[in-house]
Amino acid sequence: MIDGSIKIEELDQKQEVPLALLELADPSKEQIENYLNQGQCFVAKLNSQIIGVMVLMELSPTSIEIKNIAIDESFQGKGCGRLLLKYAEELNRKTNYEKLIIGTGNSSMGQLSLYQKEGFEISYIQKNFFLDNYDEPIFENGIRCKHRIVLEKKLK
Ligand code: COA
């Protein structure tokens, strides 16, 4: 665990967006660009190195979504993803948002495990989302990623 040494901050508009990290979570540059334009980008830093990223975007007046969350491969599995999830939760607890939303693929076993361990509940499934919105087939854990599973955590 490297929790104590990690600093999370909003990315300055002048700073370069960590695109390679964002692409770990989302192979679509077009989708990334869309939510970067509308949302807030946060980075997790260890010393001055960016090791994680998260993009938050309002979905409705009462809900905010984690559109992208990614940790540098060499730092995965050390609690940094969980730290970013907790940060998003705390940041929005005292706002008008009632729900924190996150979506993932049907094949994303680790992510589904992490989000549910962190108290997110499956809300609904967008059938064929990845077939309809992504040009290239996505496989994880030997499973074709087809459907988007949307999870939510109550903030109030
Ligand atoms: N299988 C099972 N459990 C997993 C897992 C996996 N592949 N990956 C993480 N977890 C569980 C861990 O067991 C851990 O739980 P524990 O502490 O009770 O053992 C918990 O999730 C915390 O994991 P953490 O170390 O905080 O995860 P991380 O720092 O690796 O961040 C991701 C998680 C998903 C953000 C990171 O792995 C990543 O960037 N992946 C690639 C991009 C991506 O898929 N982003 C999400 C798109 S929906």
Side-chain angles (χ1 to χ4, degrees):
M1 293 290 267
I2 46 175
D3 282 31
S5 334
I6 304 278
K7 283 205 177 77
I8 300 173
E9 59 191 39
E10 189 169 356
L11 192 73
D12 197 298
Q13 300 253 320
K14 287 171 241 138
Q15 281 175 288
E16 198 181 330
V17 169
L19 194 60
L21 275 182
L22 291 163
E23 283 180 325
L24 285 181
D26 189 344
S28 167
K29 278 204 174 86
E30 199 185 324
Q31 304 258 5
I32 292 175
E33 205 170 307
N34 278 342
Y35 50 69
L36 272 179
N37 284 334
Q38 298 175 59
Q40 287 171 284
C41 184
F42 295 87
V43 287
K45 286 183 174 174
L46 181 62
N47 304 318
S48 55
Q49 187 192 355
I50 293 179
I51 62 153
V53 69
M54 174 173 69
V55 181
L56 297 178
M57 191 184 94
E58 181 178 279
L59 263 198
S60 78
T62 56
S63 60
I64 185 155
E65 179 172 347
I66 300 174
K67 297 297 292 184
N68 189 308
I69 180 168
I71 301 296
D72 184 298
E73 268 156 334
S74 51
F75 291 94
Q76 288 177 11
K78 299 181 195 306
C80 303
R82 174 175 274 144
L83 215 59
L84 279 172
L85 291 176
K86 287 191 188 298
Y87 181 86
E89 192 183 328
E90 286 317 310
L91 188 70
N92 289 293
R93 204 166 272 291
K94 293 189 185 102
T95 62
N96 289 332
Y97 297 122
E98 291 168 10
K99 287 187 279 188
L100 182 60
I101 311 280
I102 193 161
T104 194
N106 60 283
S107 49
S108 301
M109 300 310 179
Q111 292 80 345
L112 281 167
S113 155
L114 168 59
Y115 305 154
Q116 290 179 92
K117 278 182 188 173
E118 278 308 301
F120 287 80
E121 298 266 353
I122 293 179
S123 173
Y124 60 97
I125 297 172
Q126 292 174 293
K127 293 278 278 184
N128 298 324
F129 177 89
F130 293 96
L131 304 182
D132 295 340
N133 293 287
Y134 287 76
D135 294 335
E136 300 295 325
I138 305 167
F139 283 88
E140 292 172 294
N141 305 301
I143 302 166
R144 175 93 187 254
C145 181
K146 297 181 185 171
H147 316 299
R148 184 165 185 261
I149 299 178
V150 181
L151 302 97
E152 64 177 49
K153 182 162 186 178
K154 287 197 169 52
L155 295 169
K156 309 233 174 311

